[in-house]
C-alpha cells in the first residue's frame, strides 16, 4: 500500500549543516577549495574535460553502489549518460564534482530542471571509500543552495526503497520533506525554499 509521509523542516539541523566555512553558496564561487577534516578538497562544476576522471570514478564504484545509483545493474555509464553528465545546458542543469588533492573524483551530484523551471530532479553518489563521512550531505546542501539561487523551489528524486543510506541522508538534511512510500521505489520531494532565510542572512553579512 502506498503511503504519504511528511517531515517538517529541522531548522537546528539545517543551520548546523549549512555552517560550513569555505563552502560556496553561489555558482559564481566555483571552482573553489573546501576544507574537509585534514584535507582540502577541490569543488567544481563538471566540465567536458572531466569525462575520463568521472568514468574512472564510476568504474571504481562497487556493484551495489552502481545499482543503487542507476536502479539497475550497470558496469559503467554509457557514452550517452557520460555526455549528459558533462555536456549539459548550463541554464537548466547543475552538476558538481568533489575531487581529492590528487584529482580523484570522490563525489558527483546533479540538479536537472526539465519542464518546470521551479522543479528539478536531483541525484548524488559518493565513492565507496568516502561514504559514511558526511560528504554526501555537504555536497547536496551546496548543490541545493546553488539550485535555489537559480530559482528552483522543489527537488524531486526517485529512490529505491532498499537504498536506506540515501533515504536516511535525505531525511537528515533538515529540509522539509515529503515521501511516497510502499513500493519498490520512493518518490522524495524536498522544499528548497526553506533555504531562503539562511541565504538572506548571509547576503546581509
Amino acid at each position: 500500500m502506498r503511503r504519504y509521509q511528511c517531515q517538517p523542516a529541522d531548522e537546528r539541523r539545517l543551520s548546523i549543516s549549512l555552517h560550513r566555512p569555505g563552502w560556496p553558496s553561489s555558482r559564481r564561487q566555483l571552482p573553489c577549495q573546501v576544507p574537509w577534516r585534514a584535507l582540502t578538497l577541490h569543488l567544481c562544476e563538471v566540465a567536458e574535460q572531466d569525462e575520463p576522471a568521472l568514468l574512472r570514478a564510476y568504474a571504481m564504484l562497487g556493484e551495489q553502489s552502481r545499482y543503487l545509483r542507476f536502479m539497475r545493474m550497470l558496469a559503467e555509464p554509457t557514452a550517452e549518460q557520460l555526455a549528459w553528465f558533462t555536456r549539459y545546458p548550463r541554464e537548466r542543469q547543475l552538476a558538481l564534482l568533489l575531487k581529492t588533492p590528487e584529482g580523484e573524483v570522490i563525489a558527483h551530484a546533479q540538479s536537472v530542471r526539465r519542464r518546470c523551471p521551479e522543479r528539478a530532479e536531483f541525484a548524488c553518489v559518493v565513492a565507496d571509500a568516502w561514504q559514511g563521512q558526511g560528504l554526501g550531505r555537504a555536497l547536496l546542501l551546496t548543490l541545493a543552495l546553488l539550485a535555489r539561487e537559480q530559482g528552483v523551489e522543489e527537488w524531486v528524486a526517485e529512490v529505491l526503497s532498499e537504498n536506506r543510506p540515501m533515504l536516511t541522508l535525505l531525511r537528515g538534511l533538515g529540509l522539509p520533506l515529503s515521501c511516497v512510500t510502499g513500493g519498490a521505489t520512493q518518490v522524495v520531494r524536498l522544499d528548497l525554499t526553506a533555504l531562503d532565510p539562511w541565504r538572506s542572512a548571509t547576503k546581509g553579512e
Side-chain angles (χ1 to χ4, degrees), residues 34-49:
V34 295
W36 189 257
R37 300 184 179 179
L39 295 174
T40 298
L41 302 177
H42 181 70
L43 178 65
C44 63
E45 192 163 355
V46 181
E48 188 173 343
Q49 58 265 29

Side-chain angles (χ1 to χ4, degrees), residues 105-175:
V105 172
I106 57 175
H108 175 219
Q110 294 174 287
S111 174
V112 184
R113 291 187 292 185
R114 297 190 188 276
R115 297 177 181 85
C116 178
E118 293 82 24
R119 184 181 298 119
E121 299 171 10
F122 72 98
C124 179
V125 64
V126 177
D128 291 350
W130 291 79
Q131 292 176 13
Q133 302 180 34
L135 270 179
R137 179 185 299 108
L139 186 59
L140 271 179
L141 282 175
T142 296
L143 186 65
L145 285 169
L146 273 55
R148 183 69 189 113
E149 181 185 39
Q150 288 195 313
V152 176
E153 298 178 359
E154 183 183 59
W155 260 359
V156 182
E158 186 175 9
V159 182
L160 286 169
S161 295
E162 63 190 277
N163 193 350
R164 307 310 305 175
M166 176 57 75
L167 293 170
T168 299
L169 166 62
L170 297 179
R171 292 190 172 100
L173 289 176
L175 291 166

